[in-house]
Amino acid sequence: MSECKVDLALEAIVGKWKHKILFQMINNDKMRFNELKRSIPNITQKMLTSQLRELEYHDLIERKVYAQIPPKVEYSLSEHGKSLIPILHQMSEWGEKHVEHIDSIYEEVDEQA
Amino acid sequence: MSECKVDLALEAIVGKWKHKILFQMINNDKMRFNELKRSIPNITQKMLTSQLRELEYHDLIERKVYAQIPPKVEYSLSEHGKSLIPILHQMSEWGEKHVEHIDSIYEEVDEQA
DNA sequence: CTGTATCCGTGATGATACTG
DNA sequence: CAGTATCATCACGGATACAG
C-alpha cells in the first residue's frame, strides 16, 4: 500500500463540491448544467464549472455538448467514474457510524430547554 | 446512502496532511511527535500539531503524555481510527488504478530524449 | 442555457522565533 | 522534546458582470 496514491484518489473527490457533484451523477444518469446547479445548494456557476472541468480532466465524468441554440450540455459518470461508487458508498457508511460515535463521545445532554 | 455523511468522512481524512499522518500510524503502532515529523516530508510543527489535534478531536488517534523531562508523547491509532483502515486501503488501490488509467489517456509519448 | 472574466476577502498554510 | 505564538502569503472560493 503506497500512501502517495491516496493523494490522487483524494484529489479526485475532495474540493468541497466534487463529491456532491459525483453523488448527483450517481443518482441521475444524465444531468444538465443548470440541473446540477439547482440540485447542489449554494454552489456558484464558477465553482460548478471549474469542478466539472477537473472531474472531466480526471475522466470521472463525460461531457456531451449538443450543438443547438439554446445550448444543451449533459454530464454523466464515465465508466472510470463509476469505479468510484463503492468507495463513495463505503465513505458514506463510515461517515454515518462516525457521527454516531462522535455524538456518543461529546454527548449532547443539553437538549432540554 | 446519504451524501452529506461523506462530508464527515472526508473531513476526517483530508487536509493535505491528515491521511499521511494516518498512514504513518497504520504502519507504526506508536509514534512520537518528532518521529512523525521526520517521517512526513515538509510538514511544519504547526501543521503537525494542528492536524494531530483534529484527529484526536475526532477520536481517530490517541495521545499519551508521559510526565517526564524531557517530554515524551506517543500517538497511536484509536480503535475508531482503525475502522478507517479499509477505506484508506481501498482509496490507495483505486488511486493506483486511477494513475494508470490517467496515464493511458494522456499518453506520455515524449519519454525519449 | 452554459458558460468566462474579474475582482476581492478569508482561511489555510508556511516561516520563524520563542517556551516549559 | 514537544509544543505555542506571531506574522506573512497565497490559493480557494464567493460575488458580480459579461458573452456566445
Side-chain angles (χ1 to χ4, degrees):
Chain A
M1 177 171 66
S2 86
E3 157 261 316
C4 72
K5 301 301 173 47
V6 178
D7 276 322
L8 296 153
L10 282 173
E11 255 192 55
I13 55 180
V14 304
K16 181 167 185 181
W17 298 114
K18 274 177 191 162
H19 64 278
K20 298 188 191 240
I21 296 174
L22 289 172
F23 265 97
Q24 290 301 322
M25 306 269 220
I26 289 176
N27 296 321
N28 306 273
D29 238 38
K30 296 180 178 304
M31 293 192 80
R32 300 184 57 177
F33 186 85
N34 272 346
E35 193 181 357
L36 271 168
K37 181 157 165 29
R38 278 192 305 271
S39 71
I40 302 173
N42 299 325
I43 196 171
T44 60
Q45 283 191 333
K46 176 187 173 181
M47 279 303 104
L48 183 53
T49 302
S50 70
Q51 303 291 291
L52 284 170
R53 290 295 177 278
E54 287 181 33
L55 290 170
E56 192 191 358
Y57 177 82
H58 289 292
D59 190 37
L60 298 175
I61 63 172
E62 272 157 16
R63 179 168 181 267
K64 181 164 187 185
V65 182
Y66 294 84
Q68 60 181 50
I69 304 293
K72 174 179 175 180
V73 179
E74 275 180 352
Y75 293 93
S76 57
L77 275 186
S78 68
E79 281 312 308
H80 184 233
K82 287 177 186 168
S83 70
L84 259 177
I85 297 183
I87 294 184
L88 259 2
H89 273 258
Q90 248 203 292
M91 292 197 9
S92 176
E93 281 173 31
W94 186 88
E96 201 139 4
K97 286 181 199 156
H98 181 56
V99 206
E100 291 169 17
H101 182 74
I102 293 302
D103 280 355
S104 76
I105 294 180
Y106 305 98
E107 311 236 25
E108 344 262 4
V109 276
D110 46 354
E111 293 308 328
Q112 66 289 51
Chain B
M1 179 173 63
S2 85
E3 157 262 315
C4 71
K5 301 300 172 52
V6 178
D7 277 321
L8 296 153
L10 281 173
E11 255 192 56
I13 54 179
V14 304
K16 182 168 187 182
W17 297 113
K18 275 179 192 162
H19 66 278
K20 298 187 192 244
I21 297 175
L22 290 172
F23 265 97
Q24 290 301 323
M25 306 268 219
I26 289 177
N27 296 322
N28 305 273
D29 237 39
K30 296 180 178 304
M31 293 192 81
R32 300 184 57 175
F33 186 85
N34 274 346
E35 193 181 357
L36 270 167
K37 181 157 165 29
R38 279 192 304 271
S39 72
I40 303 173
N42 299 323
I43 196 170
T44 60
Q45 284 190 333
K46 176 185 171 181
M47 277 303 104
L48 183 52
T49 302
S50 71
Q51 303 292 290
L52 284 170
R53 291 293 177 279
E54 287 181 35
L55 290 170
E56 192 190 357
Y57 178 82
H58 287 295
D59 189 37
L60 297 176
I61 65 173
E62 272 156 16
R63 179 169 181 266
K64 181 163 187 184
V65 182
Y66 294 84
Q68 61 181 51
I69 302 295
K72 174 177 174 182
V73 180
E74 276 180 353
Y75 293 93
S76 58
L77 276 186
S78 68
E79 281 312 308
H80 185 232
K82 288 176 185 166
S83 70
L84 258 177
I85 297 183
I87 294 184
L88 259 3
H89 274 259
Q90 248 203 296
M91 291 196 11
S92 175
E93 281 173 31
W94 187 88
E96 203 139 3
K97 285 181 199 155
H98 181 55
V99 205
E100 291 169 18
H101 182 74
I102 294 302
D103 280 355
S104 76
I105 295 180
Y106 304 99
E107 311 237 24
E108 344 263 3
V109 275
D110 47 353
E111 292 309 324
Q112 67 291 47

